[in-house]
Amino acid sequence: MSQKPSLKSLSLIAVMMILFGSTALYSHAQDANLSLTVEYDIGFDCPVSATLAPDQTVIWVLMDSCSGRNFRLRGFQVADGTPVNDETNDFADVLTPLKDGFVDWYVNPLAFTPDGDLSIRYYAMETYDSLTLLVSLENGEATLKTNDSLNALFRQFTEYPETTVYNHDHTLGAVIGETSLHLIDLQTETELMAIEVEDFNIFPSFSADGTRLYAAKLDDFDDVENYASTLDVYSLPDGELLTSFPVPSPFLYPNPDGQYAALQVGDTELSLLNLETGISSPAVRFSEDPKPLTECLNTGNDISDLNYQSSGNLPLAGVAWLPDNSGFMTLHSYQGEGAGGGTPCLFNYSRLRLYQFAGE
């Protein structure tokens, strides 16, 4: 039987990975349906997180070798999935500091700053302090910031600064304390507002324009099978509570105009949430069924007599909304699934997908 972990001891991404498995869904009247429009094979590395370029034409994906090492940045055209760079210019040489830390995709670790640099927020494995690697995609240079004063501010509110969730240009941070959520201006390093919570039971996210804070709370934090939640929506920067309504899951990713959010339900499904009505669409499954394998996908070697099969698990590793709000792109990691011994035999590959929706 699955167990719900304490947020006092785990980062938000760990909580997400363990909270999976719920099949509870709200029975709402539908106002839109999700459909998988196109899928791209993005190879045998594992996506860690992603963000759209400032002009919204390229999605930049932080990838590793499925082991938390050998990081690289790959760009793909939003229009057709065409790669914009390869291993000859994947920024691997300036991303080496990341190997000594952990990048948690749930906290929105990738963003383009107002100055145009790609900001990668991660935390040190030993101290859990927040670190920032600023990468210039123009000249390939990177600057590491240790955020000493900012970490001191975070620790005024929490023992777990690694759970801080960031907005879409890394100018705001939501720090999760034991009994409160604190909104921090990351540029001036000042607290803007605080929201009371209980037992770390809050899952924050920001609107793309930074004018809304979405704070979801599990309705029954002690029930390991129940992920029904209540979503509170606050205006920023004044902190006014605009609305509150039930949602089937606390894991949501709002679109640019604030009308919809992609909603992760359990560990295998996505739904579409109308943020104005509270209505959620029927869920669609993003993992696949297990299937028998006849060859290694990376080498083509025949394995038909070994009875191997893929698990079909393709956990979510990122969500990026299209600028016209017509849908969103998702990243799915195959997690390096395969058999070892000599040359590895890989059973699957990572995906970049486009989901779009239409009315009834």
Side-chain angles (χ1 to χ4, degrees):
M1 181 176 178
S2 62
Q3 294 184 349
K4 187 175 294 184
S6 167
L7 288 180
K8 296 180 180 180
S9 60
L10 295 175
S11 74
L12 285 177
I13 189 61
V15 173
M16 286 188 66
M17 296 300 292
I18 298 174
L19 284 179
F20 292 153
S22 169
T23 58
L25 287 172
Y26 279 13
S27 179
H28 288 309
Q30 71 184 64
D31 71 342
N33 286 324
L34 275 181
S35 64
L36 175 59
T37 303
V38 66
E39 176 184 278
Y40 304 107
D41 174 353
I42 57 173
F44 299 115
D45 286 329
C46 289
V48 178
S49 187
T51 190
L52 288 177
D55 65 5
Q56 312 275 290
T57 63
V58 174
I59 183 169
W60 285 98
V61 183
L62 179 66
M63 308 184 79
D64 68 14
S65 55
C66 306
S67 62
R69 293 182 176 273
N70 303 317
F71 289 90
R72 63 210 69 187
L73 281 167
R74 296 295 309 278
F76 301 91
Q77 294 285 353
V78 170
D80 58 12
T82 303
V84 301
N85 67 333
D86 57 24
E87 64 275 4
T88 65
N89 57 346
D90 59 10
F91 304 92
D93 56 335
V94 299
L95 297 175
T96 54
L98 299 180
K99 66 181 176 61
D100 297 320
F102 184 79
V103 183
D104 181 343
W105 88 264
Y106 180 71
V107 305
N108 197 39
L110 263 65
F112 281 91
T113 69
D115 293 331
D117 291 324
L118 180 63
S119 170
I120 305 174
R121 291 265 177 176
Y122 68 108
Y123 63 83
M125 294 295 289
E126 294 186 1
T127 65
Y128 294 95
D129 277 346
S130 167
L131 301 168
T132 305
L133 189 65
L134 294 174
V135 181
S136 170
L137 299 187
E138 291 187 2
N139 59 30
E141 297 179 355
T143 303
L144 179 63
K145 298 177 64 177
T146 56
N147 303 333
D148 293 338
S149 59
L150 195 57
N151 279 301
L153 177 61
F154 289 170
R155 291 186 184 278
Q156 292 182 23
F157 308 117
T158 182
E159 297 178 37
Y160 311 101
E162 71 274 13
T163 63
T164 298
V165 176
Y166 301 97
N167 72 340
H168 289 69
D169 62 3
H170 286 184
T171 58
L172 296 174
V175 179
I176 302 170
E178 185 172 0
T179 60
S180 55
L181 177 74
H182 301 266
L183 183 67
I184 303 299
D185 185 319
L186 301 177
Q187 296 176 308
T188 63
E189 300 186 2
T190 56
E191 182 186 12
L192 300 178
M193 59 177 283
I195 301 169
E196 291 186 4
V197 297
E198 295 180 1
D199 299 325
F200 293 93
N201 177 22
I202 194 163
F203 300 83
S205 56
F206 291 91
S207 65
D209 62 4
T211 63
R212 297 288 186 271
L213 174 66
Y214 301 93
K217 304 173 186 177
L218 289 162
D219 293 339
D220 189 347
F221 189 68
D222 295 320
D223 185 347
V224 298
E225 302 296 334
N226 183 10
Y227 299 98
S229 301
T230 298
L231 178 64
D232 295 330
V233 183
Y234 296 87
S235 65
L236 297 177
D238 56 75
E240 177 187 357
L241 179 60
L242 299 176
T243 187
S244 182
F245 51 85
V247 291
S249 167
F251 308 127
L252 67 153
Y253 312 96
N255 76 341
D257 69 5
Q259 183 179 2
Y260 288 98
L263 192 72
Q264 182 175 350
V265 185
D267 62 345
T268 63
E269 293 183 320
L270 284 169
S271 182
L272 185 70
L273 175 68
N274 188 315
L275 292 169
E276 296 177 350
T277 66
I279 294 173
S280 57
S281 73
V284 297
R285 190 166 180 263
F286 57 76
S287 284
E288 301 174 340
D289 292 330
K291 61 181 180 181
L293 298 169
T294 60
E295 65 177 19
C296 302
L297 297 188
N298 57 318
T299 65
N301 292 341
D302 185 354
I303 54 171
S304 56
D305 59 340
L306 297 178
N307 296 318
Y308 285 145
Q309 71 171 16
S310 65
S311 69
N313 294 330
L314 293 168
L316 195 64
V319 175
W321 276 89
L322 300 179
D324 65 359
N325 298 296
S326 64
F328 52 85
M329 306 190 85
T330 60
L331 286 159
H332 301 271
S333 172
Y334 82 109
Q335 299 181 299
E337 182 182 11
T343 300
C345 174
L346 300 182
F347 295 173
N348 215 326
Y349 53 89
S350 294
R351 319 291 173 85
L352 175 64
R353 290 174 173 168
L354 173 63
Y355 287 90
Q356 292 183 293
F357 59 92
E360 294 180 297

